[in-house]
Amino acid sequence: DDTYWITTLHHGLVRYNSKSGHTDRFTVRDGLSSNNLRCIVKDRAGDLWVGTNEHGAMRVRLSDFGESKKILDFDDSDGNTMEIRMSFTDSDNRGWFGAHDSNSNIYIYENGQTKVLTLPNGYAYCGLELPDGDKLIGTKNRGIFRVDKEGSRVIENISGPKDTRLANDIYGMVLDDKRRLWTATHGAGVQLYLLKGDSYGYVGTFKFNSDDLDHLRSIVKDRNGKLWLASNNGIISFHPDSLIADPRSF
C-alpha cells in the first residue's frame, strides 16, 4: 500500500500517496470530530482509530469517510475535555487509548463497550502488543508498564537507566525482527531492552550527538527491518544491528 495517513495538530487528517505524490486533507467539514489530532492507527479491517486533542477518540471507516464515529467522547473528573496521546489496536481488534488526564487512565474499547485501566502513575504515550498477548505501555516520566493481555492489571514497571529522568519519557516503542525492544525517548536518545526470562530489561542507550536529535517523537519499523525515528530535527533511519557492535551477542 502506497498510502500514508498523517495527523496534524490544527489541520485535520492528511492522506498522502507516495507513488502518485497526491495529497488529500480531511477536516471537521468532512465529518471529523476535531482538526486537532494527536495519534492514529489502522486496524485489520482498514478503519482508522484517531486520538484527538480535546474530543476523545474516533473511528473512521475509509469506505464512507464522511461518517466518522466518536467512540470515546467524555470529560475527565475535572470537567476537562479528553486529550488522547496513545492509540493502538491489538490482535483482537480492540482499541487502546491513553488519556492525558488526571487519573493516568487507559481506555480499552471493544464492541461498543469501554473499560478503564488506571496506571499507578504516568501518562500513556505509546503502546504495543507482545507475542504472548501482554501489552507494553510507554509513559511520560515512568518508563514502561507491562499489562496483562485483557487489560485488567499492571504486571510490572520496566525502567530505563536511573541517572536521567528523560530516559523514562517513552514516546515510542517497537520490536525489531529479533524481538529486541527499542524505545524512543524525549531527550535521552534511543534505548535497547532485551528479553531476560519473562521480562524485558534495559541494556543500553544510543545517542545521536545532538540534543534535538535525541528528543525523539516516534519510532516505526519498515518491511525491511529498518527503524525510522522522528526527532525535533528531522528523521533518523538505521538498521538495528548497525547500532550493536556484535549482533551475535544478542
Side-chain angles (χ1 to χ4, degrees), residues 140-211:
K140 182 173 178 59
N141 298 333
R142 299 299 179 180
I144 303 167
F145 289 99
R146 185 168 183 158
V147 176
D148 75 307
K149 62 184 65 177
E150 298 302 324
S152 301
R153 63 186 180 93
V154 173
I155 298 173
E156 62 176 337
N157 181 220
I158 305 169
S159 297
K162 306 298 184 182
D163 58 343
T164 172
R165 178 186 61 81
L166 296 177
N168 288 308
D169 277 357
I170 310 296
Y171 275 45
M173 299 184 294
V174 70
L175 290 177
D176 69 18
D177 290 340
K178 297 180 181 179
R179 294 190 177 179
R180 297 172 296 203
L181 176 66
W182 299 84
T183 66
T185 72
H186 198 240
V190 62
Q191 297 175 347
L192 173 63
Y193 295 75
L194 295 183
L195 191 61
K196 300 177 180 179
D198 295 328
S199 178
Y200 276 92
Y202 169 77
V203 174
T205 296
F206 301 88
K207 293 193 173 184
F208 301 101
N209 300 318
S210 164
D211 185 60

Side-chain angles (χ1 to χ4, degrees), residues 42-154:
K42 182 188 285 189
D43 67 17
R44 290 177 298 168
D47 293 341
L48 301 177
W49 301 64
V50 185
T52 75
N53 202 47
E54 71 279 86
H55 290 304
M58 58 185 164
R59 182 169 59 192
V60 179
R61 294 195 183 281
L62 301 184
S63 59
D64 191 358
F65 196 93
E67 296 185 9
S68 64
K69 180 181 180 182
K70 298 177 186 178
I71 56 177
L72 295 174
D73 193 9
F74 39 71
D75 295 337
D76 67 15
S77 59
D78 297 323
N80 300 314
T81 52
M82 186 60 64
E83 177 184 348
I84 300 295
R85 288 293 188 98
M86 176 195 80
S87 65
F88 72 95
T89 58
D90 63 19
S91 56
D92 294 319
N93 217 34
R94 295 179 297 180
W96 293 65
F97 302 94
H100 200 275
D101 63 9
S102 58
N103 298 315
S104 302
N105 285 334
I106 294 175
Y107 298 87
I108 306 167
Y109 180 85
E110 181 179 20
N111 298 325
Q113 301 294 320
T114 304
K115 75 175 183 179
V116 180
L117 171 68
T118 300
L119 298 178
N121 41 45
Y123 302 128
Y125 270 27
C126 58
L128 60 79
E129 184 174 37
L130 295 173
D132 66 1
D134 286 351
K135 314 300 187 289
L136 295 183
I137 307 296
T139 70
K140 182 173 178 59
N141 298 333
R142 299 299 179 180
I144 303 167
F145 289 99
R146 185 168 183 158
V147 176
D148 75 307
K149 62 184 65 177
E150 298 302 324
S152 301
R153 63 186 180 93
V154 173

Side-chain angles (χ1 to χ4, degrees), residues 4-16 23-40 48 50-54 58 60 65:
Y4 296 84
W5 292 90
I6 304 165
T7 57
T8 72
L9 192 52
H10 301 292
H11 304 289
L13 190 60
V14 175
R15 179 173 61 191
Y16 170 69
T23 300
D24 294 305
R25 185 182 302 276
F26 303 93
T27 67
V28 292
R29 294 182 178 181
D30 302 292
L32 299 184
S33 62
S34 171
N35 288 333
N36 300 318
L37 310 179
R38 284 287 185 178
C39 50
I40 186 172
L48 301 177
V50 185
T52 75
N53 202 47
E54 71 279 86
M58 58 185 164
V60 179
F65 196 93

